[in-house]
Amino acid sequence: MFAIQRAYLSGAFKSKSLVKNTIAGLVVGVVALPLAMAFAIASGVTPQAGIYTAIVAGIIVSICGGSQVQIAGPTGAFVVLLSGIVAQYGLDGLQIATIMGGIMLALMSLAKLGDVIRFIPTPVITGFTAGIGITIFVGQWPYFFGFAPPIGIHDFHEKLWYMLQEIPLSHIPTLGIAVLSLILLLIVPKIPYIKVFPAPIVAMIIATILQFIYQFEGVATIGSAFGGIPQGLPSFTIPVVTWDKIAVLIGPAFTIAMLGAIESLLSAVVADGMSGKKHDSNTELLGQGLANIVAPLLGGIAATGAIARTATNIRSGGDSPVAGIVHAIVLLIILLLLAPYAVYIPLSSMAAILFLVSYNMSDVKRFSHIVRLAPRVDVGILLITFLLTIFTDLVIAVNLGVMLSILFFMRRMIGSIDIHEVKNDELMKEIELEKEIHTEIMVYTIEGPLFFGAVSAFDGALNSIHKDPTFLIIRFAEVPFVDLTGLSMLLDIIKNLKERKVEVLLSDVNYEIRRQMYRLEYQKVLGRHYLWRTCASALHKAEHDLEIMDEVKRHKLDKNK
């Protein structure tokens, strides 16, 4: 069910609720304005692209998303990725990659992957967000200090060295506005009566007024850098899509989808804790997917759930999608009425805002806490993801971080699986048998999920047997699930045992595993009577067959005499 439907059923459109959500939307809209422009500029596109994104994504996610309080728009998490795509593939490439990412998000929703993606390991999330924070911080130095940005330099360490050398050549008026903006960002939230106004908008307005009055020469503004912001609605454009572009952009598009999914679901979880509401992860992915499909067609960039703006919405009294819709309408009104005045906004003020955003993204306390107290494997994944984000790119960092987490998780799972032979005394006591089990019968039990790593361990356990039994019973009572690879490998092991004249019986297999065994045609290898509901039944079958075999042997001996 979409957020707007749930809100309607809960009475969110009654007058009292409408008033408080309208107020919350006004506050969030004002907060979102400087952030949307700053993120767009840092992403290598025009400031209006950030506003268009906030408007389009804000409306679509509020209506079609899975959280009633989520505020969507451009975020800092995308800055490094989008700027890299723009630099390499141009604006058309960014539009195509974003649309592809939106389609992937919608497919993730249809595949019900929302509950899985929200549990991406903490070290990976903390690592890449901290890395993004550092990259944004360093990337804003040219705007903050007022020196020429590095051109033709791509590696982070080379950019850093270049900019360290350029700091003494800083433009004093630009640096002065930037420092003033940063001071305002830090002190406004602590001043009584003034703190009710969003610090970013206060810093941006004061910096803009100063530039408007004094016209400082050499201070880069939105007007000097981008020619201002167009006053009016964006035009609808469809990028030219070719198979070649799709092929080269599939990797960046996947990263946009994964990053968007992680960020939006993380924001939704935080919002649940603050608001007491519950979101629908899969519906949220669908809403984010639709937003990322439509936004590029209207001049926007990639969007996702914004944690800071969502938290501001909740603190301001927002508890329904109405706040998100109003926030988008506020931005639209500002775009239509105040766009001409944006030419005086100093880029150094935007850089100061991003300095604070990058510090908050880095989450120094959480980062240091993980490094000090987490297991070494998690610390290693954190640092690898962090360093790869800074020194290579986000695509490699996220993919490798997730892959390492999966591999280490699998190793832990293998270590937790117990595959052992059940001894005679233990088995007799367990199934209440009074006589000893035949020496030609061996019973093995598997405790834990049966996947390919576990089957390798099982194969190793069987290879340690000094003498093949006539019957081998494998108990599945403690196996909750299996995977296709594990069952296929187990079938190969069973075929090998059959060649060694070992009859295999399987007991205590649950319905789902039995169904998968049937699909893999286990019955063709093991025969009709290979599955038994209990270990006792399988033992009885083996004992009975051994008695018949012993009787046949005695009959042959008597005949030979």
Side-chain angles (χ1 to χ4, degrees):
M1 185 182 295
F2 293 136
I4 198 75
Q5 294 174 280
R6 294 166 63 190
Y8 175 78
L9 294 174
S10 64
F13 292 96
K14 295 179 180 178
S15 58
K16 185 178 179 180
S17 178
L18 280 174
V19 170
K20 68 175 184 178
N21 279 284
T22 299
I23 293 172
L26 288 169
V27 174
V28 179
V30 173
V31 171
L33 177 64
L35 293 175
M37 291 191 294
F39 291 140
I41 293 169
S43 299
V45 296
T46 58
Q48 62 264 28
I51 301 176
Y52 298 157
T53 305
I55 294 171
V56 175
I59 291 175
I60 292 177
V61 171
S62 293
I63 294 174
C64 302
S67 170
Q68 297 187 53
V69 293
Q70 181 87 283
I71 303 295
T75 66
F78 278 127
V79 164
V80 178
L81 175 62
L82 302 190
S83 60
I85 295 174
V86 171
Q88 189 170 357
Y89 304 106
L91 187 58
D92 280 353
L94 176 60
Q95 287 180 301
I96 295 169
T98 304
I99 293 170
M100 289 169 62
I103 294 171
M104 290 178 188
L105 281 167
L107 293 176
M108 289 178 190
S109 170
L110 296 176
K112 308 295 183 185
L113 294 178
D115 293 330
V116 177
I117 294 171
R118 60 186 286 193
F119 293 115
I120 295 292
T122 298
V124 176
I125 295 174
T126 305
F128 77 69
T129 51
I132 291 169
I134 296 294
T135 308
I136 292 174
F137 173 70
V138 174
Q140 290 303 302
W141 286 9
Y143 300 111
F144 191 92
F145 293 102
F147 55 74
I151 298 174
I153 302 175
H154 303 291
D155 294 333
F156 177 83
H157 65 281
E158 292 180 353
K159 288 181 181 178
L160 180 61
W161 177 242
Y162 166 84
M163 289 190 282
L164 286 172
Q165 292 175 306
E166 290 291 311
I167 286 178
L169 304 177
S170 298
H171 185 249
I172 301 304
T174 299
L175 181 60
I177 292 175
V179 172
L180 174 62
S181 300
L182 188 58
I183 291 172
L184 290 171
L185 289 167
L186 296 174
I187 67 170
V188 165
K190 300 177 182 178
I191 302 175
Y193 305 111
I194 299 180
K195 66 181 182 181
V196 296
F197 299 100
I201 201 73
V202 172
M204 187 185 74
I205 289 174
I206 292 177
T208 304
I209 291 172
L210 285 173
Q211 179 61 22
F212 175 75
I213 294 173
Y214 295 103
Q215 299 285 313
F216 295 111
E217 188 177 348
V219 172
T221 64
I222 286 180
S224 65
F226 302 101
I229 294 177
Q231 187 176 18
L233 298 175
S235 58
F236 184 86
T237 57
I238 300 176
V240 178
V241 181
T242 64
W243 287 113
D244 290 340
K245 289 182 179 179
I246 291 174
V248 298
L249 290 169
I250 192 74
F254 178 73
T255 307
I256 288 175
M258 286 299 298
L259 195 56
I262 294 168
E263 189 83 359
S264 62
L265 295 181
L266 182 62
S267 176
V269 170
V270 172
D272 287 350
M274 294 180 66
S275 65
K277 296 180 179 292
K278 295 295 181 184
H279 76 281
D280 185 319
S281 297
N282 294 307
T283 306
E284 181 64 22
L285 289 184
L286 179 59
Q288 297 290 342
L290 294 175
N292 280 284
I293 292 171
V294 177
L297 301 177
L298 294 171
I301 56 177
T304 185
I307 296 176
R309 275 159 276 172
T310 299
T312 302
N313 177 37
I314 297 169
R315 293 193 193 102
S316 302
D319 62 1
S320 83
V322 172
I325 296 171
V326 170
H327 129 272
I329 294 172
V330 169
L331 288 172
L332 180 60
I333 293 172
I334 293 173
L335 180 68
L336 295 175
L337 299 181
L338 303 178
Y341 301 100
V343 294
Y344 298 105
I345 299 175
L347 296 185
S348 56
S349 179
M350 299 286 97
I353 293 171
L354 288 176
F355 268 24
L356 191 60
V357 169
S358 63
Y359 176 78
N360 292 332
M361 284 186 66
S362 298
D363 203 349
V364 177
K365 289 184 178 179
R366 178 190 286 265
F367 192 96
S368 60
H369 179 79
I370 294 175
V371 170
R372 286 186 291 108
L373 302 177
R376 284 183 297 175
V377 168
D378 291 329
V379 174
I381 292 172
L382 168 71
L383 295 177
I384 288 171
T385 307
F386 172 70
L387 294 173
L388 286 175
T389 301
I390 295 173
F391 291 104
T392 58
D393 62 55
L394 194 60
V395 177
I396 296 173
V398 172
N399 292 343
L400 187 59
V402 171
M403 285 174 60
L404 286 174
S405 298
I406 293 171
L407 289 173
F408 280 112
F409 173 76
M410 285 168 51
R411 195 181 79 169
R412 289 170 181 166
M413 288 293 291
I414 293 172
S416 68
I417 296 168
D418 183 21
I419 302 171
H420 64 273
E421 180 186 358
V422 184
K423 298 300 182 182
N424 193 64
D425 294 341
E426 178 187 350
L427 194 59
M428 287 171 58
K429 183 178 180 181
E430 184 179 330
I431 63 177
E432 299 179 352
L433 282 178
E434 296 182 358
K435 63 177 182 176
E436 284 200 3
I437 297 164
H438 200 290
T439 56
E440 287 297 314
I441 299 174
M442 186 173 287
V443 180
Y444 264 77
T445 188
I446 304 174
E447 297 177 3
L450 182 65
F451 62 106
F452 59 90
V455 175
S456 298
F458 180 66
D459 192 24
L462 291 180
N463 287 333
S464 65
I465 300 173
H466 298 296
K467 179 180 178 296
D468 285 345
T470 303
F471 285 92
L472 174 65
I473 299 172
I474 307 174
R475 299 199 304 174
F476 282 73
E478 302 298 326
V479 178
F481 64 88
V482 298
D483 72 349
L484 177 63
T485 309
L487 278 181
S488 299
M489 292 176 69
L490 178 61
L491 187 59
D492 291 337
I493 292 171
I494 291 172
K495 289 177 181 176
N496 180 261
L497 289 169
K498 294 280 286 184
E499 291 175 0
R500 288 154 51 183
K501 308 300 182 183
V502 178
E503 290 295 322
V504 179
L505 303 175
L506 310 179
S507 74
D508 307 281
V509 184
N510 67 40
Y511 170 76
E512 183 60 31
I513 299 176
R514 290 202 308 270
R515 191 164 64 90
Q516 294 186 49
M517 286 179 172
Y518 183 78
R519 286 180 176 177
L520 287 176
E521 299 183 332
Y522 264 56
Q523 66 276 7
K524 288 187 177 180
V525 176
L526 292 172
R528 292 180 58 191
H529 303 294
Y530 69 97
L531 281 174
W532 299 87
R533 290 192 176 276
T534 64
C535 183
S537 301
L539 276 170
H540 179 75
K541 164 67 175 174
E543 293 274 6
H544 180 262
D545 286 356
L546 282 170
E547 287 178 4
I548 294 175
M549 291 167 64
D550 289 341
E551 184 66 31
V552 170
K553 286 180 182 178
R554 283 195 296 270
H555 181 70
K556 286 183 177 179
L557 287 172
D558 292 341
K559 188 175 182 180
N560 290 334
K561 289 180 181 179

